[in-house]
Amino acid sequence: MDNIRNFCIIAHIDHGKSTLADRLLEFTDTVSQREMEAQVLDDMELEKERGITIKSHAIQMKYRFEDKDYFLNLIDTPGHVDFSYEVSRSIAACEGALLIVDATQGIQAQTISNLYQAIDNDLEIIPVLNKMDLPNAMPEEVKDQIVELIGCKPEEIIPASGKTGLGVETILERIIKCIPPPKGSNEAPLQALIFDSVFNSFRGIISYFRIMNGSIRKGEKVKFVNTGREYIADEIGVLGLKLIPQPKLECGNVGYIISGIKTSSEVKVGDTITSVENPCSEAIAGFENVKPMVFAGIYPVDSDDYEELRSCIEKLQLNDASLTFEPESSLALGFGFRCGFLGLLHMEIVQERLTREFNLDVITTVPNVNYKVHTTKHEVIDVYNPSGLPEPNYIDFIEEPYINASIITRTEFIGPVMTLCIEKRGILKNQHYLSTDRAEIMFELPLGEVVFDFYDKLKSISKGYASFDYHPSGFKPSKLVKLEILLNGDPVDALSTLTHFDNAYPLGRRMCEKLKELIPRQQFDIAIQAAIGSKIIARETVKAVRKDVTAKCYGGDISRKRKLLEKQKEGKKRMRQVGNVEVPQSAFLAVLKLD
C-alpha cells in the first residue's frame, strides 16, 4: 500500500487537464507512441469534438522513482458545473488532487468550487500552472491568485505545459512525495466505493471502484449495500488503457468488477461493495441520489420507438449517474419521458448522445424547473411540468427554486454582467476584487431564469471571460403564471411554460410571432394565441392558402362570383372544424432561442 498513490485532476473547462494527463501517460510509458493520440482519456467522439471532458476516466500508471515501483491511479474529472456529482465521487476516491490553472486565464469560478470540495475531503493539493509555453501567459499574476486562494508558497507552484511536457517529471515526483498513501487495512471486511460504471453490450455492466478496506478476489460473492443485491465477481482487475484482469485486488487500489449485471437500476454510482461472507458494518458516507435542477420532456419522433427510447435512456443513465427520468404523456407528442438534468449543457449532451450512440430521433420540450405549489387546502404539490399545475382558484401561492451564483469576470464587464443579472430578477449579495482587474460577484437568482439562455448571454457580454458557478439555495414565493399557447383554440401542452407575471406579456407576444413564421400555411386560417387562464394576451394569424375560384368567371353578373366565394367560404369553415395543425419540430426548438 505504501507504493500506491490515488489522485484526481481538478480544473475549469479548457485549462488543459486532458492534455497534461496525456503527457503523464506518455512519460510513464502507460501508453505507447503508436496508441498515443490527443486527449487519449476522452474516448467519446463528442468529448473530442467539443474539447470538454464529460465523463471521469480512471487509469493506472506505473512509475519508477528512487529504485522503487509506484502505482499511480489517476482519475480525470470533468470541469463543467453540470457534471459536479461526477467530480464529487472522484474526489471521494482519492487522497490528493492536482489543481491545474491556466497561466493565460487565471482562476475561474469552477476551479474554486471543485477546490473547496477537495479541501472538504482533506485532499492534499498540488498547484500546477499550465500553458507556460504560450506567449500571453501571465505567470506572476496568476501565481499571486493561487497563493491567495490556497495559501501555499509561490515556489510550491509547479510551472508546466501540457503541450511541450515541461514540468511533468516534477509533477510525478511531487505526487509521490506529497500525496499520502491510502489508509485502511487488508484484514478488515471488504469496503469499496463505486465511482463510475459503463455498459458493455457483451459483458453487462462494468463498475469502477476504489477499495477503502479489505481485499477482493475473483469469484468471490459480493453485495452492493444500497441496492441490497448480491453477485459473483466474474472478473476483477486494474484499469490500464484497456482492462487488465487480476486474481486479487488489495486495499487502496482502484479497479473494475464485472459480474454479469444487465439492468442499470441495480448499480448506483457512490454505492458501497462489500463481501457476503464478511460484510462491513456501514456503507461509505457521501452516497446520495442526485437532485436534478432542470427538467425537460424527451419524446420519440416516431411513437413506435417508445420502448427503444426507454432502453436507450436506461443505458445512458448507467454511464451518467446524474440523469433521472420517469414516463409521461403529452397530447401533442404522445408518450415520452420527463427527464431531470443537472443543467443545460448536460441536457444538450444527453440529447446529442441519444442521437449519436443510439441513432434515435427525439423531440425535447421547453426546459422547466421544479416548483412547489401550495394549495388552498394547505397541501404542497411538486410541479415539474406546466400541465401538472392545479386550477388557479385552488392555488394559494407558488414557490420557485433559487440559486446562489458566483460570477468571476474582468472589471470592465462588471456593469453589463450586473445589468443581465438584475434583468433576470437577481439580487446582488456580495462583490469583491480578486485582483486589480478581476472581481467575483455573488447574486441570488431564480433558477427558472438561468435555465433558458443566461449562460450564453453571460459569455457574449463578457467576450467569453466570465465564468459561472452556482449552488441551490432553497425555495422562495413568487408571482408565477402559466402561459399557454393555443392553436385554433386548442392548447399545445408541449409549448406551455410557467413564467413570472412581469415576463408573461412580452414572452407570449414573442412566442406567437415566432410560431407564425414557423407553422406552414394550411387551407384555412390558423389562430395562434397566448393565454393566461382564460385571458388572451397576444394573437397572430397564419393566413390560409387560397385558390382563386372566380378565375373561370369572365364577364357576367357579380352574383355568380359571390356565389362561388360563399361556397368556398363554407368549405373553409368545414375544413377548419376537422383540420388539425401540425407543429414542426423546429418550432419547439425555436421557442428556446427566442432572442
Side-chain angles (χ1 to χ4, degrees):
M1 266 171 62
D2 290 345
N3 294 5
I4 296 175
R5 300 287 183 273
N6 296 322
F7 68 101
C8 61
I9 297 183
I10 52 179
H12 192 81
I13 280 189
D14 201 28
H15 279 207
K17 57 184 176 304
S18 296
T19 315
L20 200 62
D22 288 353
R23 296 294 83 77
L24 291 171
L25 297 176
E26 224 172 35
F27 196 83
T28 55
D29 293 330
T30 309
V31 180
S32 65
Q33 277 316 115
R34 198 166 57 91
E35 292 173 304
M36 194 63 207
E37 52 175 309
Q39 295 150 336
V40 69
L41 290 180
D42 294 349
D43 50 13
M44 231 184 279
E45 202 181 308
L46 205 56
E47 292 181 313
K48 284 196 172 20
E49 243 173 61
R50 292 184 174 226
I52 58 175
T53 305
I54 295 166
K55 289 291 305 157
S56 58
H57 297 270
I59 192 161
Q60 188 173 77
M61 301 180 277
K62 200 171 173 184
Y63 183 59
R64 193 161 181 81
F65 178 69
E66 293 177 353
D67 299 328
K68 263 179 156 181
D69 281 337
Y70 286 92
F71 295 96
L72 312 178
N73 290 312
L74 156 67
I75 300 173
D76 184 20
T77 60
H80 196 277
V81 57
D82 283 8
F83 307 108
S84 51
Y85 183 67
E86 199 102 336
V87 178
S88 75
R89 295 298 80 217
S90 303
I91 286 175
C94 295
E95 278 83 31
L98 291 182
L99 171 71
I100 294 180
V101 180
D102 186 336
T104 62
Q105 296 182 50
I107 284 170
Q108 310 251 297
Q110 194 55 42
T111 316
I112 296 178
S113 158
N114 289 346
L115 175 71
Y116 287 155
Q117 267 192 349
I119 291 172
D120 286 348
N121 279 13
D122 296 332
L123 262 60
E124 184 65 42
I125 308 289
I126 299 174
V128 177
L129 196 55
N130 198 18
K131 302 196 186 179
M132 288 293 281
D133 58 311
L134 293 182
N136 59 339
M138 320 173 286
E140 296 311 315
E141 217 173 292
V142 180
K143 267 185 185 176
D144 292 345
Q145 292 175 18
I146 298 175
V147 168
E148 199 175 315
L149 182 67
I150 60 175
C152 63
K153 297 190 178 88
E155 57 272 17
E156 286 176 11
I157 299 167
I158 305 171
S161 161
K163 205 180 205 172
T164 61
L166 165 76
V168 170
E169 202 170 341
T170 322
I171 291 172
L172 288 165
E173 262 179 50
R174 190 75 66 82
I175 288 168
I176 290 167
K177 286 181 178 170
C178 297
I179 295 176
K183 297 184 184 72
S185 145
N186 271 329
E187 310 310 315
L190 173 66
Q191 192 184 34
L193 168 78
I194 299 178
F195 62 85
D196 199 4
S197 57
V198 291
F199 184 80
N200 180 312
S201 43
F202 302 107
R203 321 265 335 241
I205 290 161
I206 304 173
S207 301
Y208 300 156
F209 61 81
R210 147 82 201 269
I211 303 177
M212 299 297 188
N213 276 309
S215 59
I216 182 170
R217 289 175 187 282
K218 184 180 174 176
E220 190 176 347
K221 204 166 184 197
V222 293
K223 178 181 176 183
F224 288 33
V225 176
N226 284 299
T227 54
R229 299 295 184 96
E230 295 180 4
Y231 306 100
I232 288 166
D234 294 337
E235 185 184 306
I236 57 168
V238 293
L239 301 150
L241 200 55
K242 298 187 173 70
L243 305 177
I244 306 162
Q246 301 282 343
K248 181 182 181 183
L249 285 178
E250 297 197 324
C251 179
N253 239 317
V254 172
Y256 69 91
I257 177 170
I258 301 177
S259 42
I261 306 169
K262 289 285 188 279
T263 40
S264 55
S265 56
E266 294 176 26
V267 179
K268 296 262 197 290
V269 170
D271 202 346
T272 305
I273 304 176
T274 188
S275 163
V276 173
E277 282 176 24
N278 184 10
C280 58
S281 53
E282 56 183 32
I284 297 161
F287 172 75
E288 54 181 87
N289 283 323
V290 193
K291 295 181 186 67
M293 307 285 277
V294 176
F295 297 87
I298 290 185
Y299 294 86
V301 171
D302 181 356
S303 53
D304 296 345
D305 293 341
Y306 174 72
E307 281 306 322
E308 195 182 335
L309 178 64
R310 178 196 287 275
S311 75
C312 293
I313 293 181
E314 278 177 0
K315 284 174 191 165
L316 204 58
Q317 186 187 35
L318 184 81
N319 196 279
D320 181 350
S322 35
L323 172 68
T324 60
F325 69 97
E326 56 187 48
E328 72 163 2
S329 63
S330 145
L331 294 172
L333 301 169
F335 290 103
F337 297 94
R338 166 123 313 237
C339 299
F341 309 96
L342 291 182
L344 274 191
L345 176 76
H346 186 205
M347 174 176 131
E348 211 177 300
I349 295 289
V350 166
Q351 198 180 341
E352 188 96 357
R353 284 181 72 183
L354 281 173
T355 311
R356 287 196 182 192
E357 294 173 26
F358 303 104
N359 290 329
L360 270 181
D361 283 338
V362 293
I363 296 175
T364 312
T365 63
V366 182
N368 283 301
V369 295
N370 172 18
Y371 296 98
K372 289 194 181 301
V373 178
H374 293 255
T375 64
T376 46
K377 296 177 180 174
H378 305 296
E379 294 172 337
V380 181
I381 304 168
D382 278 331
V383 172
Y384 303 102
N385 192 347
S387 59
L389 201 69
E391 291 301 314
N393 49 335
Y394 293 118
I395 298 173
D396 186 11
F397 64 95
I398 303 176
E399 289 185 317
E400 66 173 333
Y402 271 73
I403 56 170
N404 286 326
S406 146
I407 298 165
I408 294 180
T409 180
R410 291 198 167 180
T411 42
E412 67 224 62
F413 304 122
I414 288 179
V417 168
M418 284 195 166
T419 312
L420 172 70
C421 292
I422 289 162
E423 273 173 16
K424 298 282 185 188
R425 300 190 283 129
I427 301 156
L428 180 66
K429 287 289 179 193
N430 194 356
Q431 176 188 352
H432 71 273
Y433 285 83
L434 299 169
S435 65
T436 48
D437 64 342
R438 285 161 66 84
E440 183 179 23
I441 310 169
M442 309 288 277
F443 261 93
E444 189 171 47
L445 287 158
L447 182 62
E449 295 282 348
V450 175
V451 159
F452 270 120
D453 51 5
F454 178 79
Y455 194 63
D456 297 345
K457 282 187 173 174
L458 180 69
K459 281 290 181 198
S460 57
I461 60 173
S462 66
K463 298 185 181 161
Y465 278 113
S467 60
F468 170 68
D469 184 31
Y470 62 84
H471 297 283
S473 66
F475 285 79
K476 285 188 170 183
S478 192
K479 193 177 180 186
L480 296 167
V481 290
K482 180 181 174 184
L483 179 70
E484 284 193 295
I485 298 292
L486 312 175
L487 294 181
N488 278 351
D490 296 328
V492 182
D493 56 353
L495 289 173
S496 60
T497 53
L498 275 171
T499 180
H500 194 265
F501 182 76
D502 298 343
N503 300 344
Y505 282 83
L507 181 66
R509 166 103 274 141
R510 293 209 314 266
M511 280 172 92
C512 288
E513 284 165 4
K514 196 78 184 176
L515 287 169
K516 184 185 177 183
E517 292 168 24
L518 292 163
I519 290 177
R521 289 171 72 182
Q522 311 271 357
Q523 296 277 337
F524 51 91
D525 282 2
I526 303 169
I528 304 169
Q529 295 166 310
I532 297 173
S534 55
K535 186 180 180 186
I536 305 294
I537 58 168
R539 174 184 169 128
E540 294 287 338
T541 309
V542 178
K543 283 297 191 192
V545 182
R546 296 181 75 96
K547 179 182 169 190
D548 187 2
V549 287
T550 59
K552 60 186 178 193
C553 294
Y554 41 91
D557 191 32
I558 186 73
S559 60
R560 285 183 63 200
K561 289 187 177 182
R562 202 163 281 151
K563 186 178 166 189
L564 285 168
L565 286 169
E566 286 299 320
K567 195 173 168 188
Q568 186 189 33
K569 196 173 169 185
E570 283 300 311
K572 295 273 182 210
K573 199 172 172 183
R574 245 196 337 273
M575 201 181 274
R576 186 176 168 178
Q577 284 167 353
V578 295
N580 60 349
V581 185
E582 288 291 316
V583 183
Q585 160 73 8
S586 57
F588 291 109
L589 298 175
V591 172
L592 307 184
K593 302 183 175 73
L594 277 176
D595 297 337

